[in-house]
Amino acid sequence: MHEEQRGVVTVVAAFHINPGHLDAALPVIAACVKASRQEATNLAYTCRQDLDDPSHFVFIEQWRSVAAIHEHEKLPHFLAVKALFENGLAGSLHVTLLGDVDSLS
């Protein structure tokens, strides 16, 4: 992660869940979204499911800082999703961190 990034950080995380794990994954993902929205340093948090491929999901998150993301990654709701990924992930997890262009200059 880019520790020097200041200002709002947007996270985009795309992944596929093995179809056999989909029923178990949905409540874990929903619980993570709900709990993450309650974190003081979270500005926005959603997970979208692909309408054409129900195994494909994209998290779109906004945090006050990279440090806030590190703190989020220690919490039970994030760790539950991480555990889900250990057995239920089909392929790779693709995570992109984005900073506002005006905060980079």
Side-chain angles (χ1 to χ4, degrees):
M1 288 199 171
H2 302 281
E3 299 300 327
E4 70 281 357
Q5 172 62 36
R6 298 188 193 285
V8 175
V9 179
T10 300
V11 178
V12 179
F15 58 95
H16 286 81
I17 295 290
N18 285 317
H21 287 87
L22 200 52
D23 288 341
L26 291 173
V28 174
I29 292 169
C32 183
V33 169
K34 184 177 180 180
S36 297
R37 288 177 178 164
Q38 302 303 311
E39 293 179 52
T41 57
N42 179 259
L43 302 172
Y45 201 101
T46 190
C47 186
R48 302 291 190 219
Q49 186 177 25
D50 189 323
L51 296 176
D52 294 322
D53 179 359
S55 71
H56 180 216
F57 294 85
V58 178
F59 277 105
I60 304 165
E61 314 165 20
Q62 285 190 319
W63 297 92
R64 293 194 189 277
S65 66
V66 172
I69 297 168
H70 288 311
E71 289 306 309
H72 165 69
E73 292 173 344
K74 298 175 186 175
L75 297 174
H77 50 275
F78 177 86
L79 295 174
V81 170
K82 187 176 177 182
L84 167 73
F85 287 171
E86 289 176 11
N87 296 315
L89 202 61
S92 300
L93 172 66
H94 302 281
V95 179
T96 304
L97 295 180
L98 304 167
D100 290 334
V101 172
D102 59 353
S103 71
L104 299 175
S105 55

